[in-house]
Amino acid sequence: MSAEQGTRTRGILDTSTVLLLGRLRDTRDLPAEPLITAITLAELAVGPLVARRNDERARRQEHLQQAEADFVALPFDADAARAFGSVAASMRNTGRKSGSRRFDALIAAIAVANDLPVHTCNPGDFEEIDRLEVVAVEVPPE
């Protein structure tokens, strides 16, 4: 499902969008009040720990700290846990396994539980999930 631009003021940025924010030239696809999830913080927290070079580790740590400072992180709570069941079922019904896209499925569950759209640079990751509004964010080529 795709949202009309500007119909929502709040929305969740998935991890791909948070990582690419610096490259976006056009912010019309972003909500006026962007939020992230605790899942995105978890994904970003892995980055510095698995980086092989010190410069890369520092860049990833800076990215994590900036996200923590700039955004409100919505938790994975009991409502999200209940929503996860329908998200996983939707994914399974379309032939995708929620396990291979576990972080996306958890982000989608938080979005569904909070009745918020997901703004993503990778809309295919969230295709055909029941009750989830997906807003594709255009990323300019490198």
Side-chain angles (χ1 to χ4, degrees), residues 2 18 21 27 29 33 44 56 60 70-71 80 94 105 114 136:
S2 185
V18 171
L21 276 174
T27 59
D29 297 327
E33 184 182 344
L44 292 174
E56 182 67 14
R60 290 178 180 191
D70 288 347
F71 298 103
T94 62
N114 288 278

Side-chain angles (χ1 to χ4, degrees), residues 20-42:
L20 295 171
L21 276 174
R23 288 188 40 211
L24 301 180
R25 292 186 200 130
D26 184 356
T27 59
R28 285 182 290 182
D29 297 327
L30 299 179
E33 184 182 344
L35 307 165
I36 62 173
T37 68
I39 308 309
T40 289
L41 286 181

Side-chain angles (χ1 to χ4, degrees), residues 66-119:
Q66 192 68 54
E68 290 173 327
D70 288 347
F71 298 103
V72 172
L74 297 173
F76 187 85
D77 58 13
D79 290 336
R82 283 188 289 281
F84 181 79
S86 73
V87 168
S90 292
M91 293 175 90
R92 184 168 290 171
N93 289 338
T94 62
R96 297 181 312 173
K97 294 184 178 175
S98 59
S100 63
R101 303 292 326 163
R102 76 176 69 64
F103 294 124
D104 296 331
L106 293 167
I107 290 169
I110 294 170
V112 169
N114 288 278
D115 192 30
L116 293 169
V118 171
H119 297 254

Side-chain angles (χ1 to χ4, degrees), residues 54-75:
N54 286 337
D55 61 328
E56 182 67 14
R57 184 174 300 107
R59 187 184 66 72
R60 290 178 180 191
Q61 183 66 35
E62 183 178 335
H63 212 126
L64 168 61
Q65 290 173 323
Q66 192 68 54
E68 290 173 327
D70 288 347
F71 298 103
V72 172
L74 297 173

